[in-house]
Amino acid sequence: MDGHWDGYDSIGGSVPLDLVNTVSWRRDPARREDRLSSPERLSEWVVLVGAGTERLEISEAVLETVKAFRETLYRVLVSDPPDTTPLRKPLLAAYRHAELAPSPPLRWTVALTDGTALPHFLALEAEELLRSGDLERIRECEGPGCGWIFTDHTRNRSRRWCSSADCGNRARAKRHYEKTRG
């Protein structure tokens, strides 16, 4: 990477959650930062999270499609009750570009041979995540303004922060400050 990914950590636990997390400080308009600021950045991200092994040639149109999908997926993940209706159109488009795996388990795939395949690849990855049955483990960081999403793999499902070194540390420091002041 070229160093522009400082402060970004692939903490989501899956490619779709890491896509959602390309917006830092999502719930704090003054600090909000979209890390997919250009087609080149999206191409870097694909390699960074292991979705592909090579950078892709990505157009502005594909970038905007991926960003719109990212926001749709975020809204689906944080809606209560969950409403997957907005994923219908991107999934139908993905299936038109997908191939069936030649052997079990039954799985539709989209090869990342070029940038135009990326929105379809991401839609199928999101569908797989949402089919997994572990939806109750998907959480939004409790850090004020953070908005990052992660999969809680703790045994007792007690994870509260995107990172204990980031939002978790801020919360501990705030508690300590309030305790010593009061």
Side-chain angles (χ1 to χ4, degrees):
M1 284 306 110
D2 59 10
H4 289 94
W5 288 95
D6 291 343
Y8 174 81
D9 193 7
S10 180
I11 60 99
S14 68
V15 170
L17 298 184
D18 285 335
L19 175 65
V20 168
N21 294 343
T22 58
V23 175
S24 296
W25 302 107
R26 177 181 293 279
R27 293 185 175 269
D28 183 348
R31 295 173 68 188
R32 184 181 170 108
E33 179 185 355
D34 186 343
R35 297 189 182 265
L36 299 183
S37 56
S38 69
E40 295 77 23
R41 300 278 296 159
L42 177 54
S43 183
E44 291 171 3
W45 175 83
V46 167
V47 175
L48 177 74
V49 297
T53 56
E54 298 178 12
R55 290 185 180 188
L56 301 171
E57 193 68 39
I58 295 175
S59 68
E60 284 288 338
V62 167
L63 173 65
E64 292 309 313
T65 300
V66 167
K67 288 168 74 167
F69 179 73
R70 173 190 66 193
E71 298 310 307
T72 298
L73 181 57
Y74 173 76
R75 286 189 300 277
V76 166
L77 292 169
V78 299
S79 64
D80 188 23
D83 178 13
T84 58
T85 307
L87 295 176
R88 185 182 192 308
K89 188 175 176 182
L91 281 170
L92 287 173
Y95 278 112
R96 284 193 292 275
H97 292 87
E99 294 183 13
L100 189 58
S103 61
L106 185 64
R107 184 166 188 241
W108 290 93
T109 61
V110 172
L112 280 181
T113 54
D114 62 53
T116 60
L118 185 58
H120 310 302
F121 171 85
L122 293 170
L124 291 181
E125 289 289 311
E127 180 190 35
E128 186 174 317
L129 172 71
L130 294 170
R131 278 184 194 233
S132 73
D134 282 341
L135 298 180
E136 66 279 354
R137 291 191 173 271
I138 296 175
R139 306 225 194 298
E140 185 172 15
C141 179
E142 291 180 19
C146 180
W148 272 17
I149 306 285
F150 57 87
T151 304
D152 180 358
H153 292 291
T154 62
R155 193 174 314 179
N156 63 357
R157 300 180 183 185
S158 61
R159 183 173 167 190
R160 300 172 58 196
W161 318 109
C162 59
S163 165
S164 62
D166 193 354
C167 287
N169 194 46
R170 273 196 264 298
R172 286 187 295 277
K174 181 180 179 192
R175 277 194 314 268
H176 175 75
Y177 175 78
E178 289 170 353
K179 191 185 213 181
T180 59
R181 297 265 312 170

